[in-house]
Amino acid sequence: MNPRSVTFACGAIAALTLHPLVCPGGAGAAVTAIPVARDGNPAPGGNGTFGSYASYGEPCVNNHSQVAFTALFSGSSGGSTDNDALERGESGGTLTLMAREGQPIPDGPGLFGALHFVTRRYAMNDSGRIAIMTPLTGTPGGTSDNAALYSAVFPGLWWRHVRRGDIAPFTTTPFNGIFPPQINDQPPAAVAFMASLGTSSIPGVIYVDRLGLLSPVSWITQPAPDATDGDGINGTVFAYPAGDPPALRRNAAEVAIWAHMAATTLASQDDDGIFRASADGFVDLARGHQPAPGGGTYGEMASPVYNSDGIAAFRSNLYPTSAGEVIALDWPFGGELCAFKGQSAGDGNGTFASLWEPALNDAETVAFRVRLEGTTGGGLDDIAIYKCDSPYTPVPAADDQLAREGQAPPEGNGVFSDFGPIVAINGTGQVLFTANLRSTAGGASDDRGLYLWDPIAGVVKLLREGDVIDGRTVLAFSTLTERDFGGYRVLNDVGEAVARVDMSGIGGDGVYLLRYLGETAVGDPSRPAALALALSPNPVAAGPVTLRFARPAAGALRVSVHDLSGRLVRMVHDGTADATGTLTWDGIDGAGRAVAAGVFFVEASSGGERVTRRLVRMR
């Protein structure tokens, strides 16, 4: 990645932040925009330059600040025969060319084909391994072997998972269609994908590949797991109706899927299910006509997401449809209700009318978009972003409502008018969402933004149309275009989001990493915050972190480090100190032990002010 970054800052901390330009996040928040690739920058290794907004595929990011994306180069020597590429932006500030159109494939003869897709065809795990479904050219079989699924950590060291024309395991039928892959963080990683066989173009089998073992885990005509258990529910898999990828568990070679069933006993009442599938078995997580947590019975469902504990979150109608809909978490022999139609809003203004597909983290926190009815503002305050935390309660708390139509954004200038249907949540409970705004000063030129809800700071603006970055104005951006079913994150646990950005002028369009590391100040609201705190480096790979503080005068100062639960890890300073100065935390806790990698909070308090900064230790 381009190591140059630009930081948006406001409040007292601005004096300690490099390159302060504008303030997108609201008082006390700092966001750094890091260009990963920009229009006009040379392609890695030469032969062309990066292009404008539409020439980038939708990017994804991992927990080590690596970004994967495709790009369409301008001015390449081969024109349309060598201008597509798969790139990985490295945390150290470089770009790695993973594959390029026209390069030899690892299992040749043949060449990589057109790698650039606006629609996702790749995913990346925390080790930087990228899995991609790619077309091929110049292959011996022509259209019978001209697509493949590969993965690699290093350029040129590709692992072949499957190729069109390969004979599918346990059959005599060749692979035909290969659909977008998911990849997890196991060492070695597992890759999951859908495929069609023979002459069919419709996904008919779900595979998981790990350690070179390609296993079919679900397929059309597969018997339902409860077909013979005597409860009157039976049938076989008929289709995977959404066409969504299987949701791959991050730490195991298993997936959660939504399947539509045929030949069931109760027809439309029991022909939908959420299932866990692996080489070891096919198991019910939830099924139509089974009791839903909170009452009623499940009806029609939608694609699940899956966490490291084997828990799936999904949206389902209840049977009959008039009974409403729910967002539920389910696992074999259990389940919990997260949200339901008719549920009271957290602030008492209206009730839930319809729910969108959820995002889920390993703490079993769920985030989702909701439409409400019976609100005081009618159509002016009836869309919101919510979360629910385990253990779940019938009535959400007021702070479970993260953002709502009619509310002002943290930076001012208009009010929220709508939110994108897809949200993301990370391991620390931060929630990423897009929003449209109305009554803005610039009309269509500043009426859309990208926002992060943080458990400490609340809603923070990461990016907005009309923002000025490095002298250029943000015209548009794209992110959260598809849900993450495994390895397609746009928000990582470090508090970084990734987006394609369209800029005014020449040379600004590109892929940007938007880094929020957290700043809040608590004190007398009648006066501006007087205490500032900055951490460097942050994130830190290894070694000590410098804690820089500033306030108007010398006096008492308390600086401490806490873990995500709020537990005290280390008291760094508790006494008097100069007005400005530096302290150091070496990654050792109060008992003299080195802390594990993770997210921490550094808190400074002085003169009635308190500032908290998020700190990420990579190892």
Side-chain angles (χ1 to χ4, degrees):
M1 285 185 289
N2 186 335
R4 182 185 180 191
S5 62
V6 289
T7 300
F8 308 89
C10 57
I13 197 68
L16 296 177
T17 309
L18 297 178
H19 310 297
L21 295 179
V22 297
C23 173
V31 176
T32 302
I34 303 171
V36 179
R38 290 205 291 190
D39 183 12
N41 286 355
N47 190 18
T49 60
F50 286 101
S52 58
Y53 181 59
S55 66
Y56 301 94
E58 299 291 344
C60 58
V61 65
N62 67 14
N63 280 332
H64 296 281
S65 307
Q66 294 175 308
V67 177
F69 63 100
T70 54
L72 188 66
F73 294 133
S74 300
S76 63
S77 60
S80 61
T81 64
D82 69 350
N83 62 347
D84 280 35
L86 174 67
E87 305 279 350
R88 186 179 63 211
E90 303 293 335
S91 58
T94 61
L95 274 170
T96 299
L97 179 66
M98 298 296 296
R100 183 160 183 165
E101 183 183 15
Q103 286 181 342
I105 57 175
D107 52 343
L111 308 171
F112 282 107
L115 294 162
H116 173 63
F117 297 92
V118 174
T119 303
R120 176 195 65 201
R121 290 291 185 272
Y122 44 88
M124 178 174 62
N125 68 8
D126 277 347
S127 70
R129 177 173 288 274
I130 301 175
I132 184 169
M133 191 288 290
T134 176
L136 310 174
T137 61
T139 59
T143 58
S144 67
D145 65 352
N146 65 346
L149 171 56
Y150 302 110
S151 71
V153 176
F154 304 106
L157 297 177
W158 289 95
W159 179 272
R160 168 175 158 174
H161 296 280
V162 66
R163 183 164 166 181
R164 179 177 291 162
D166 289 349
I167 300 302
F170 310 109
T171 77
T172 58
T173 308
F175 282 96
N176 183 22
I178 303 168
F179 296 86
Q182 313 306 303
I183 188 167
N184 73 6
D185 292 322
Q186 286 180 283
V191 171
F193 61 97
M194 288 182 171
S196 64
L197 305 182
T199 60
S200 174
S201 60
I202 299 173
V205 189
I206 295 174
Y207 291 90
V208 176
D209 186 22
R210 184 168 185 262
L211 295 170
L213 182 63
L214 182 61
S215 303
V217 298
S218 180
W219 55 91
I220 290 174
T221 72
Q222 182 181 24
D226 47 12
T228 59
D229 65 4
D231 66 357
I233 302 175
N234 51 24
T236 59
V237 174
F238 177 73
Y240 308 106
D244 289 327
L248 178 61
R249 188 167 170 173
R250 288 180 68 173
N251 59 349
E254 66 181 34
V255 296
I257 61 171
W258 168 35
H260 189 68
M261 313 297 286
T264 64
T265 303
L266 299 176
S268 62
Q269 295 183 41
D270 65 350
D271 61 358
D272 260 26
I274 304 294
F275 301 96
R276 169 188 290 174
S278 72
D280 298 323
F282 190 52
V283 181
D284 264 342
L285 292 175
R287 182 75 188 269
H289 199 64
Q290 288 179 347
T297 59
Y298 284 129
E300 300 295 316
M301 298 172 175
S303 298
V305 286
Y306 204 34
N307 74 7
S308 296
D309 295 322
I311 296 173
F314 58 95
R315 181 179 59 83
S316 175
N317 289 326
L318 298 179
Y319 183 84
T321 304
S322 59
E325 59 181 340
V326 297
I327 291 177
L329 286 89
D330 243 305
W331 54 94
F333 317 114
E336 290 192 66
L337 175 67
C338 174
F340 58 93
K341 182 179 179 180
Q343 181 176 5
S344 296
D347 59 2
N349 180 17
T351 59
F352 289 179
S354 56
L355 310 167
W356 273 256
E357 277 70 28
L360 171 70
N361 69 8
D362 284 348
E364 297 175 34
T365 299
V366 177
F368 56 96
R369 179 181 185 258
V370 62
R371 184 179 68 81
L372 301 109
E373 59 188 4
T375 66
T376 57
L380 299 178
D381 65 353
D382 62 349
I383 304 292
I385 302 294
Y386 266 80
K387 70 172 177 66
C388 49
D389 300 296
S390 180
Y392 307 100
T393 58
V395 178
D399 59 3
D400 288 339
Q401 181 174 277
L402 309 186
R404 183 154 181 175
E405 181 186 8
Q407 291 178 343
E411 73 281 7
N413 184 19
V415 297
F416 292 132
S417 66
D418 199 359
F419 303 100
I422 298 173
V423 300
I425 187 168
N426 66 12
T428 67
Q430 294 174 316
V431 177
L432 184 71
F433 59 93
T434 58
N436 295 328
L437 300 105
R438 61 174 177 261
S439 304
T440 65
S445 67
D446 63 357
D447 64 351
R448 185 166 180 265
L450 178 64
Y451 296 88
L452 181 74
W453 180 87
D454 179 78
I456 292 179
V459 177
V460 175
K461 187 187 73 173
L462 297 184
L463 187 70
R464 181 166 170 177
E465 292 176 358
D467 281 346
V468 177
I469 299 177
D470 207 17
R472 297 178 177 88
T473 302
V474 176
L475 302 178
F477 65 88
S478 178
T479 190
L480 288 173
T481 57
E482 296 189 45
R483 298 170 72 199
D484 174 25
F485 295 103
Y488 190 69
R489 284 169 285 180
V490 295
L491 173 68
N492 65 18
D493 292 345
V494 184
E496 296 169 330
V498 67
R500 294 189 299 133
V501 183
D502 185 11
M503 298 281 200
S504 63
I506 298 173
D509 295 5
V511 173
Y512 284 77
L513 192 66
L514 302 164
R515 177 176 292 166
Y516 171 70
L517 292 170
E519 303 212 33
T520 61
V522 179
D524 182 354
S526 66
R527 60 187 177 87
L531 175 64
L533 177 68
L535 315 180
S536 179
N538 189 12
V540 57
V545 176
T546 298
L547 321 176
R548 293 181 290 160
F549 62 88
R551 62 246 172 91
L557 176 69
R558 181 184 174 96
V559 178
S560 53
V561 179
H562 303 260
D563 64 16
L564 277 173
S565 69
R567 182 184 65 87
L568 177 66
V569 174
R570 178 78 175 271
M571 181 63 66
V572 179
H573 183 86
D574 190 5
T576 59
D578 294 336
T580 61
T582 61
L583 299 166
T584 299
W585 181 47
D586 54 8
I588 303 299
D589 68 13
R593 300 166 300 197
V595 301
V599 179
F600 300 86
F601 295 105
V602 181
E603 181 178 283
S605 58
S606 175
E609 301 285 349
R610 186 172 75 250
V611 173
T612 302
R613 286 282 272 131
R614 182 184 299 265
L615 172 65
V616 179
R617 296 196 71 93
M618 306 302 290
R619 61 177 183 268

